[in-house]
Amino acid sequence: MTPLDFRDGAAATPGPDSEPAQFRAAVDAMGTASVHPRIELAPIRPPQRLAPYSYAIGAEVKHPDTNVIPVDSEGEDAFGRLILLHDPNGHEAWHGVFRLVAYIQADIDAALAGDPLLPEVAWSWLVDALESRGEPFTALGGTVTSTSSVRYGDIAGPPRAYQLELRASWTVGSTQLGPHVEAFCEVLAYAAGLPPAGITHLRPRPQIADDRF
């Protein structure tokens, strides 16, 4: 897959001329990730007060019937954000100078939402995806939440909807962030029920008893 150019239209803070070389290298490395062809990545505005330097990308699952992908749209079935934070002086809570913050939200079916093992399995997706890349990381933490909502009155959409939310952060040991982006997108693909790359049809999601789900 062609490397992604995240520098065009990037929203890193402050401007490129004042960014440390280490931070620029980390941002550029994020653009080397190869991800599932149905996941589209684009720069988004990062948070401004969490660290001296920050950068963020949004990820959307592309629907087969359209090429128009509104990044970070609440109307999509699955989306995510990955934020890079950098403090050149180090951060006591991070135990390092770089921290990645991830958020994923995906619509799920009622049976999956009601399974008590869903949080543990969804968290294992992230742990396995990071460990399989072989890049160093520490201080991984986060939450997994399964939610349901009921629509009343004149509101479009199904009467009941179920969603999976994963929030996580971890400290990276180098500026080689391409594998971390790939791990993040792998979890998004699992949450969205995407087939492996190259498979053109969707199979039913594996059951909780399966090793992967």
Side-chain angles (χ1 to χ4, degrees), residues 172-187:
V172 297
S174 74
T175 60
Q176 300 304 310
L177 300 188
H180 293 271
V181 177
E182 292 172 358
F184 164 76
C185 290
E186 180 177 308
V187 178

Side-chain angles (χ1 to χ4, degrees), residues 1 4 34-42 58-63 69 78-80 181-182 184-190 192 194:
M1 179 176 293
L4 300 168
S34 295
V35 304
H36 195 288
R38 284 190 45 198
I39 293 179
E40 182 153 307
L41 302 176
E60 289 281 1
V61 173
K62 186 189 306 181
H63 289 272
I69 309 297
F79 69 91
V181 177
E182 292 172 358
F184 164 76
C185 290
E186 180 177 308
V187 178
L188 178 60
Y190 277 128
L194 294 182

Side-chain angles (χ1 to χ4, degrees), residues 19-46:
E19 293 170 355
Q22 191 178 26
F23 177 72
R24 292 199 302 269
V27 171
D28 290 341
M30 295 177 77
T32 66
S34 295
V35 304
H36 195 288
R38 284 190 45 198
I39 293 179
E40 182 153 307
L41 302 176
I44 60 175
R45 184 175 179 80

Side-chain angles (χ1 to χ4, degrees), residues 94-116:
W94 302 351
H95 305 288
V97 298
F98 284 107
R99 187 78 173 169
L100 285 173
V101 181
Y103 173 77
I104 288 174
Q105 178 179 299
D107 291 340
I108 57 177
D109 58 36
L112 195 60
D115 197 305

Side-chain angles (χ1 to χ4, degrees), residues 76-169:
E76 294 298 320
D77 294 331
F79 69 91
R81 297 184 293 268
L82 186 63
I83 302 165
L84 170 65
L85 304 176
H86 177 52
D87 187 337
N89 296 319
H91 195 293
E92 183 178 356
W94 302 351
H95 305 288
V97 298
F98 284 107
R99 187 78 173 169
L100 285 173
V101 181
Y103 173 77
I104 288 174
Q105 178 179 299
D107 291 340
I108 57 177
D109 58 36
L112 195 60
D115 197 305
L117 292 180
L118 176 60
E120 286 81 1
V121 173
W123 186 253
S124 74
W125 290 341
L126 178 61
V127 174
D128 292 347
L130 289 171
E131 290 181 345
S132 68
R133 263 68 187 187
E135 288 295 329
F137 70 93
T138 59
L140 173 64
T143 62
V144 178
T145 307
S146 177
T147 63
S148 63
S149 59
V150 182
R151 292 182 172 89
Y152 299 97
D154 190 18
I155 298 180
R160 293 181 179 270
Y162 304 90
Q163 293 178 326
L164 175 68
E165 292 187 356
L166 184 149
R167 301 172 186 267
S169 62

